Amino acid sequence: MIRHFASLVTLTLGVALPSSMDGQAPAQQPTRTLVIRAAHMIDGHSDAVQDNVAVVIEGERIKAVGSQSQLASQIPAGAQVVDLGGATILPGLIDNHTHVLLQGDITAADYDDQLLKESIPYRAIRATAAVRNSLMNGFTAIRDLETEGAMYADVDVKTAIARGVIPGPRMFVSTRALSTTGTYPLLGYSWELRMPEGVQIVDGPEDVRKAVREEVKYGADWIKFYADRRYFVGADGRLRSWLNFTDEELKMLVSEAHRLGKKVAAHAIGWDGIDAALRAGVNTIEHGDGLTDDLLDRMVAQKVYWCPTIYVGVYVAPGRGGVWPKMVEMERVAFGKALKKGVMISYGTDAGGYSWSENQAQEFAYMVRYGMSPMAAIKSATLVAAQLLDQSDNFGTIEAGKLADIIAVKGNPIADISELTRVSFVMKGGVVYKQ
Ligand SMILES: [Zn+2]
């Protein structure tokens, strides 16, 4: 990875890009040592903010972390020093719910227009701008949860980033989400027209098995499906929903994905959808507005993560109307309960469900407003998010041995969590992208 970036040019936007943009890897360079100095550090692991720190980076990984005085003797002569002054450094942020191939879909028309009027190559070009924004805002890893009709283009965006063709976060992709006939857009058009599908349509367990195998074949790291739709408040006061799959289909989906070593993310908003997803044995619940005490207890017992995606709900609710504003309020209550019960909450924004010109870090303010401590909110986007991805050995904390995915903010994010929307320094794998 590092050798693709051996020589960097800084563009007028202040963004570092590889000088070799033609996909040709430059000749092997000797491993370089770089040292970051900063007044403060949140390392993703400790609950304390540490002062006057130094991070020694060799190639793409962290070699040592400690106080500047402790590490002085370990810094080789000629090492490049990045002095961030009074800044606070943190592990690179992780967003576990994005759609890089979508550019906002408040209304059905917003969504349909993208699938009907934009080619997949054009959508992939827009995705390259989305991932660049994401990285510049401090997100060094994302889990992209389905392409919304853009087939396997997420695999291509991931590959382009990994090969150094374009700047972007490390990507974990789910290719095409699964749903059943008649349950997912595009819907409502004349039966005489064959419309594009926003998902891979599967009916019956054998269809499900084949689709999971196909997605893994083409590069899916995760399997995503839509558990429910048509949300409404039931007579019991719960947020209810209609199920998209039979139990038989979901059992096949989860068992086949797990057999192939892939985990499963369930879009599940109403009580019924979350219940079905948990019965099937999924690994993460996405959105989860209708979570109640009983479901939250089951999530703790089954070690299932929750990506609440609060901000997108707030963003789309006024435009969608109906039950959506009520869902925002129900999710706020569920979030408070989940904190008390110790549910594993991972940072996830649904960016792409709203415009990529918005900063994904706006989610933090909602988590804190809903009762999470700023330090816990930061961990949800670093330590905990990396655990969800099974990547704790690689990133999520600033520790020796981990990849050097490090960001910095000028102010104190513990005092004001919105500091995270003003990231001033971004390093991924030892390469500086923003300074
Ligand atoms: Zn989503």
Side-chain angles (χ1 to χ4, degrees):
M1 182 67 184
I2 185 71
R3 66 198 167 95
H4 296 273
F5 291 98
S7 161
L8 294 170
V9 287
T10 302
L11 303 183
T12 46
L13 289 171
V15 173
L17 285 176
S19 58
S20 168
M21 296 295 283
D22 58 0
Q24 300 286 315
Q28 186 87 45
Q29 301 284 322
T31 307
R32 69 196 175 117
T33 301
L34 189 147
V35 182
I36 294 175
R37 279 207 288 249
H40 311 286
M41 174 173 75
I42 292 167
D43 69 6
H45 195 73
S46 164
D47 279 325
V49 179
Q50 294 152 66
D51 294 330
N52 299 317
V53 293
V55 182
V56 181
I57 295 148
E58 210 172 75
E60 63 175 4
R61 290 197 182 252
I62 297 168
K63 196 183 173 203
V65 185
S67 71
Q68 290 176 17
S69 52
Q70 264 174 359
L71 289 185
S73 62
Q74 292 189 41
I75 298 168
Q80 187 190 338
V81 177
V82 177
D83 194 339
L84 296 174
T88 301
I89 58 169
L90 307 93
L93 303 174
I94 304 162
D95 185 343
N96 271 326
H97 189 133
T98 66
H99 301 279
V100 301
L101 286 140
L102 197 64
Q103 308 292 332
D105 65 332
I106 295 175
T107 65
D110 293 338
Y111 186 86
D112 292 14
D113 275 0
Q114 289 176 62
L115 273 72
L116 291 170
K117 297 178 181 170
E118 296 182 2
S119 69
I120 293 174
Y122 180 70
R123 294 179 66 191
I125 290 167
R126 295 189 79 180
T128 66
V131 292
R132 180 196 179 102
N133 270 356
S134 186
L135 182 65
M136 295 312 152
N137 286 332
F139 290 83
T140 52
I142 59 175
R143 184 180 60 151
D144 201 65
L145 286 184
E146 103 117 332
T147 60
E148 310 287 359
M151 299 299 288
Y152 300 95
D154 53 350
V155 178
D156 298 308
V157 177
K158 170 186 169 170
T159 302
I161 293 169
R163 290 182 182 165
V165 177
I166 56 168
R170 304 174 191 284
M171 281 183 74
F172 298 82
V173 300
S174 59
T175 70
R176 313 168 71 193
L178 303 178
S179 202
T180 53
T181 295
T183 61
Y184 201 83
L186 306 186
L187 295 170
Y189 293 87
S190 163
W191 57 264
E192 293 164 295
L193 299 173
R194 179 69 58 203
M195 304 308 290
E197 303 282 0
V199 286
Q200 183 163 10
I201 298 295
V202 285
D203 296 297
E206 285 312 312
D207 247 19
V208 170
R209 190 203 311 262
K210 187 158 194 328
V212 169
R213 290 180 181 180
E214 209 169 87
E215 293 188 355
V216 172
K217 170 186 172 184
Y218 290 123
D221 301 305
W222 279 74
I223 299 298
K224 158 92 182 278
F225 72 95
Y226 286 84
D228 62 353
R229 71 188 190 288
R230 295 184 72 153
Y231 320 109
F232 62 98
V233 180
D236 57 3
R238 292 176 172 183
L239 183 66
R240 308 301 299 258
S241 55
W242 289 28
L243 296 180
N244 295 343
F245 287 90
T246 64
D247 278 8
E248 202 188 6
E249 289 167 328
L250 284 192
K251 280 224 157 57
M252 174 64 87
L253 191 158
V254 175
S255 65
E256 191 62 15
H258 286 175
R259 198 179 65 77
L260 297 175
K262 306 299 175 188
K263 289 191 169 175
V264 178
H267 162 110
I269 287 183
W271 190 94
D272 306 80
I274 302 164
D275 170 55
L278 292 176
R279 273 190 281 124
V282 303
N283 303 98
T284 71
I285 295 289
E286 307 303 314
H287 317 301
D289 304 51
L291 280 164
T292 49
D293 285 300
D294 53 340
L295 294 173
L296 289 163
D297 290 339
R298 285 162 64 187
M299 286 182 72
V300 173
Q302 292 179 223
K303 298 187 170 60
V304 175
Y305 289 83
W306 180 23
C307 287
T309 70
I310 302 165
Y311 177 69
V312 73
V314 175
Y315 187 89
V316 302
R320 290 187 182 172
V323 73
W324 286 84
K326 176 83 182 149
M327 283 160 56
V328 172
E329 179 54 21
M330 291 175 122
E331 182 166 53
R332 188 184 61 77
V333 174
F335 194 90
K337 287 179 176 173
L339 284 177
K340 287 205 186 80
K341 289 176 188 288
V343 172
M344 296 184 291
I345 299 176
S346 166
Y347 196 86
T349 66
D350 216 2
Y354 55 88
S355 167
W356 279 99
S357 60
E358 302 272 337
N359 190 326
Q360 286 160 274
Q362 291 180 87
E363 182 85 7
F364 284 108
Y366 288 90
M367 297 169 96
V368 170
R369 197 176 306 162
Y370 285 9
M372 200 175 221
S373 74
M375 188 59 92
I378 290 167
K379 285 186 179 177
S380 83
T382 53
L383 178 81
V384 177
Q387 286 165 351
L388 179 152
L389 291 168
D390 290 325
Q391 291 293 320
S392 298
D393 290 346
N394 285 322
F395 52 77
T397 57
I398 301 179
E399 283 179 290
K402 301 283 171 78
L403 290 163
D405 292 0
I406 297 170
I407 63 164
V409 292
K410 292 197 175 93
N412 175 2
I414 301 300
D416 176 7
I417 197 72
S418 76
E419 287 293 342
L420 294 174
T421 63
R422 295 180 291 277
V423 167
S424 56
F425 171 85
V426 178
M427 169 183 276
K428 190 188 89 180
V431 175
V432 177
Y433 287 85
K434 181 180 190 179
Q435 188 176 357

